Amino acid sequence: MSMSKATPLRQIQKKIGARALTIAIVLAVVTILSGHKALGKGLVLGTLFSILNFILMAEFLPLRLSSERRRASAYALGTLILRYAILAIPLI
């Protein structure tokens, strides 16, 4: 199996995701050490699910743009519901 180079979009996603996660982990450690354990855990979970949401938006966008209007609208609604459901997981 050959390894192909990552696309520029994938590189940007990795860069932004890694920075966001690093900042979230540092802030989580600070908040946990200051006695706010739930806040620290919520910060890391929220960041992870937000990064996942960001990646899903980038993956689904070409599918919505390349379809006919009716199919694109249904796809947009379906992906929106999926992304909201994913973002609701850390809240629960």
Side-chain angles (χ1 to χ4, degrees):
M1 189 178 270
S2 66
M3 297 291 287
S4 62
K5 286 188 173 182
T7 63
L9 177 62
R10 187 73 69 188
Q11 291 172 346
I12 292 169
Q13 288 174 338
K14 285 182 180 181
K15 185 177 179 180
I16 292 171
R19 284 184 183 174
L21 193 56
T22 302
I23 292 168
I25 289 171
V26 169
L27 290 174
V29 168
V30 170
T31 57
I32 289 171
L33 292 176
S34 67
H36 301 286
K37 188 175 180 180
L39 181 63
K41 291 188 324 186
L43 185 63
V44 172
L45 272 177
T47 302
L48 284 173
F49 282 93
S50 293
I51 291 170
L52 178 60
N53 184 37
F54 181 63
I55 292 169
L56 287 175
M57 281 192 299
E59 293 296 322
F60 286 131
L61 184 61
L63 298 173
R64 286 188 281 178
L65 296 176
S66 64
S67 301
E68 63 188 40
R69 182 173 171 91
R70 183 180 206 114
R71 180 175 281 174
S73 295
Y75 223 59
L77 180 61
T79 59
L80 183 67
I81 291 169
L82 172 68
R83 291 186 303 112
Y84 278 151
I86 288 172
L87 289 175
I89 293 171
L91 294 174
I92 295 170

